[in-house]
Amino acid sequence: MIDNWRDAFVDLAYFAASVLFIVGLKRLSSPASARQGNQLAMVGMLVAVVATLFTRGFENSNYILIIVGIALGGALGYLPARRVKMTAMPQMVAIFNGMGGATAALVSIAEFSHKTDIPGGEAVSIVLGTIIGAVSFTGSAIAFLKLQELMSGRPIVYPNQKPINAALFGGIAVLSLLTLVLYDGNLTLARVLLTLVFVASLVLGALVVVPIGGADMPVVIALLNSATGLAAALTGFVLNNQALVVAGALVGASGTLLTLLMARAMNRKVTNVLFGAFGGGAIASGAAASTGEAKPIREISAEDAAVPLAYAQRVVIVPGYGLAVAQAQHGVRELADMLQERGVDVRYAIHPVAGRMPGHMNVLLAEANVPYDDLYEMDDINDDFAKTDVALVIGANDVTNPAARADTSSPIYGMPILNVDHASQIIVLKRSMKSGFAGIENELFHDPKTTMLFGDAKETINRLIGAVKAA
Amino acid sequence: MEQNVLLGAYVFALAIFLGLEIINRVPGTLHTPLMSGTNAIHGIVLLGAMIVLGTANNWWLQAIGFVAVVAGAANVVGGFAVTDRMLEMFKKKPVPGGAGAAAGPAQGQGKAR
């Protein structure tokens, strides 16, 4: 009787946790309630973790290990989470994602190594959970190394890359099938095979991400996030735990959606990102270098640029990752405040792939105390550029290139861009005339309405602030 | 087919559709916190690790379980902490000239510009 009550308590707690996750995610859809949403999900997690301690069948001596493990892992997660710089957020998410993937793979392997009489559906879930979890672990680890620049962010290519990956994938598929066919008769052999599947999947995860360039990381991180969610749901099948299934499915859905969104914003197919088509970009950059010098550009000084800004009615700021690299977001906020005090309507236009992960630029600007209602998504502001007096482009390049609209021969043709060229005047802050990630020339810089303000973004902004004060 | 896996599949499919519905409405502004928040939520696999470790009856399972619990807890705690830190920074525009600078995100007429 007591045991029944205990089981019911655990089950109801898991149910409550699932509901809290759903409500929490729903609250995340508005900036005003988002923090509360995250906290609801946190409560859900706490409820689920505490309830798990009441699961029947735990060995008494293992409780201390569980508590120590949670305390140790919690500290390992909490300390860097409090300290990490906002520019380093993508690699932080990558590393936590890898931890989740590793956990899912280990749980799957552990279940296979102690259970007997495993039904078919569970066995399939175990094998898939092992593969996806392991790929997500090493894939995230490589993504972390690349984003942290401990490893070159450029795509690393080696001979026979595709055949090697295909062979490895084929090997994993064969070993998995063998595991599933053999486990009913020869469980010991099947356990060895699953270990091989695990190891091969670890290698595959690393090999798939190694050739992917730093600029494609928003897509990769979103995809790996979705993979870990899926792996968590699969372990839920094995453990007959619906809280894991619900949470895993929610994450899988969100990761998939963001992956597709990012790929669309970069005008690339997900398969194209994963299985590499970098030759095209490299060739285009060679072509751009030869023609880049010929066309005229107009340079402007900070003092001259300050005047149209100070006397404009409407200014739109277009920030790119260059702004974050230069740590200029605080200066930009100061400049915007100053203009707003003069009665200028200042807004920010954010391209979906500005930054190193989906929505990264919004976080960087929020850190600099830019109110979120000044941040506009591409579709919400694109029609307003025509009514804008000055568009101030800071460290953004490809996402402003009109060639994406008109030039069918351009490698970025079809990519959705910000209509910066519709503004009456355009001021581009840029370090040098180097081309952007796609390696192509930006027509915007040669537009008669455009003036170029060269230099480090942070210094240039400071000079602009000084000049606006004087204007 | 065993009922628990089948039930799981039903729940999984429904949760996927629900997830797509909810997340479709999250504005681009919040995509990074959304990603890191969902990242923390998939740390729920920590429960699986706790069950493995709790029921472990040999040193080998204890070792796997312990590593899994540590990794899972890092995922959960780190993910939620970093998301909370980010969302704390998202502020509404203060009411111009308003005395309550500390009013924060609660006030409703921030739209004035």
Side-chain angles (χ1 to χ4, degrees):
Chain A
M1 190 62 193
I2 296 280
D3 279 348
N4 286 343
W5 283 106
R6 185 167 162 173
D7 288 348
F9 164 73
V10 173
D11 287 340
L12 284 175
Y14 286 161
F15 177 71
S18 305
V19 172
L20 283 167
F21 291 148
I22 293 168
V23 176
L25 269 184
K26 199 161 158 43
R27 297 243 144 189
L28 259 179
S29 60
S30 147
S33 62
R35 192 174 182 204
Q36 194 200 13
N38 184 55
Q39 287 163 349
L40 281 178
M42 244 188 262
V43 173
M45 190 64 76
L46 187 67
V47 168
V49 167
V50 170
T52 305
L53 290 172
F54 289 89
T55 309
R56 269 195 287 155
F58 278 23
E59 311 271 342
N60 281 334
S61 57
N62 285 336
Y63 277 103
I64 184 79
L65 281 176
I66 293 178
I67 302 297
V68 171
I70 291 178
L72 183 62
L76 282 175
Y78 185 78
L79 296 176
R82 292 314 302 181
R83 262 186 244 140
V84 64
K85 283 208 187 104
M86 287 300 147
T87 38
M89 194 51 64
Q91 48 266 51
M92 191 86 253
V93 170
I95 202 75
F96 289 145
N97 187 56
M99 295 286 173
T103 311
L106 289 175
V107 170
S108 301
I109 290 178
E111 284 299 302
F112 202 59
S113 69
H114 82 93
K115 268 193 180 174
T116 47
D117 289 331
I118 306 168
E122 283 185 21
V124 173
S125 306
I126 285 175
V127 172
L128 287 177
T130 306
I131 299 172
I132 298 174
V135 166
S136 178
F137 171 52
T138 47
S140 304
I142 299 287
F144 168 80
L145 291 176
K146 284 188 170 235
L147 289 162
Q148 189 68 28
E149 284 167 11
L150 296 170
M151 189 175 166
S152 167
R154 318 201 107 258
I156 297 168
V157 229
Y158 46 88
N160 294 327
Q161 191 168 320
K162 279 180 195 172
I164 292 177
N165 284 356
L168 198 56
F169 185 77
I172 291 171
V174 170
L175 286 171
S176 304
L177 282 177
L178 278 177
T179 312
L180 291 173
V181 171
L182 292 175
Y183 85 92
D184 213 6
N186 191 342
L187 194 53
T188 322
L189 178 61
R191 283 172 180 161
V192 176
L193 287 175
L194 187 72
T195 314
L196 290 177
V197 168
F198 174 63
V199 174
S201 302
L202 289 176
V203 178
L204 183 69
L207 289 187
V208 166
V209 179
V210 158
I212 301 177
D216 281 341
M217 282 304 152
V219 179
V220 175
I221 295 181
L223 191 64
L224 289 170
N225 194 33
S226 147
T228 308
L230 193 57
L234 285 163
T235 51
F237 289 172
V238 179
L239 295 165
N240 195 13
N241 185 324
Q242 307 310 332
L244 258 70
V245 176
V246 169
L250 290 174
V251 180
S254 108
T256 309
L257 209 66
L258 286 176
T259 307
L260 296 175
L261 219 63
M262 288 302 104
R264 201 190 311 147
M266 295 166 83
N267 191 34
R268 300 187 59 185
K269 288 208 173 90
V270 179
T271 45
N272 176 286
V273 172
L274 284 181
F275 305 114
F278 286 90
I283 294 160
S285 105
S290 57
T291 54
E293 263 69 45
K295 289 196 190 162
I297 52 161
R298 290 196 301 144
E299 264 196 77
I300 193 170
S301 68
E303 289 68 30
D304 289 341
V307 178
L309 283 173
Y311 293 99
Q313 281 193 314
R314 287 198 189 83
V315 170
V316 173
I317 297 175
V318 181
Y321 195 63
L323 172 142
V325 172
Q327 292 287 321
Q329 60 269 43
H330 297 274
V332 169
R333 209 280 325 273
E334 211 179 309
L335 177 66
D337 282 355
M338 199 179 283
L339 291 174
Q340 277 167 335
E341 265 164 44
R342 296 179 65 107
V344 183
D345 174 42
V346 182
R347 288 183 274 176
Y348 296 80
I350 316 282
H351 192 275
V353 292
R356 284 289 174 272
M357 71 185 289
H360 194 187
M361 187 54 64
N362 300 281
V363 174
L364 296 172
L365 291 172
E367 189 193 14
N369 286 323
V370 176
Y372 60 76
D373 26 22
D374 283 352
L375 307 176
Y376 286 80
E377 286 179 48
M378 181 166 65
D379 294 338
D380 296 333
I381 201 165
N382 253 351
D383 293 338
D384 293 352
F385 275 107
K387 292 176 273 176
T388 299
D389 301 310
V390 186
L392 186 63
V393 179
I394 308 168
N397 190 347
D398 294 333
V399 298
T400 65
N401 192 344
R405 272 199 307 257
D407 182 1
T408 46
S409 67
S410 171
I412 59 165
Y413 175 70
M415 179 170 113
I417 58 155
L418 292 161
N419 296 333
V420 175
D421 58 326
H422 292 177
S424 310
Q425 185 180 356
I426 303 131
I427 300 172
V428 179
L429 265 67
K430 209 167 162 359
R431 181 175 283 279
S432 69
M433 268 313 275
K434 246 174 56 188
S435 45
F437 162 72
I440 46 173
E441 198 187 338
N442 192 342
E443 286 172 16
L444 179 74
F445 302 160
H446 306 295
D447 191 307
K449 292 187 293 187
T450 304
T451 46
M452 306 293 293
L453 181 49
F454 289 115
D456 173 75
K458 199 172 183 173
E459 280 170 31
T460 315
I461 296 283
N462 284 338
R463 277 191 286 137
L464 269 179
I465 292 172
V468 168
K469 242 181 226 161
Chain B
M1 197 169 175
E2 56 272 29
Q3 287 303 307
N4 62 334
V5 175
L6 199 60
L7 175 66
Y10 275 103
V11 173
F12 180 76
L14 291 174
I16 287 272
F17 285 114
L18 183 62
L20 289 173
E21 276 305 308
I22 296 174
I23 285 141
N24 225 343
R25 272 182 239 141
V26 176
T29 317
L30 289 171
H31 278 169
T32 291
L34 169 70
M35 187 166 258
S36 97
T38 53
N39 188 31
I41 289 178
H42 70 46
I44 186 139
V45 69
L46 167 64
L47 306 192
M50 289 169 70
I51 293 170
V52 166
L53 180 53
T55 53
N57 48 15
N58 61 48
W59 69 269
W60 168 235
L61 277 176
Q62 279 179 327
I64 294 188
F66 186 74
V67 173
V69 166
V70 171
N75 182 179
V76 167
V77 177
F80 279 126
V82 92
T83 310
D84 190 60
R85 215 182 115 198
M86 267 190 272
L87 290 172
E88 194 184 353
M89 301 184 317
F90 278 83
K91 301 240 163 64
K92 223 176 159 58
K93 206 187 187 99
V95 183
Q107 32 84 0
Q109 332 111 290
K111 276 287 169 205
R113 61 175 73 246

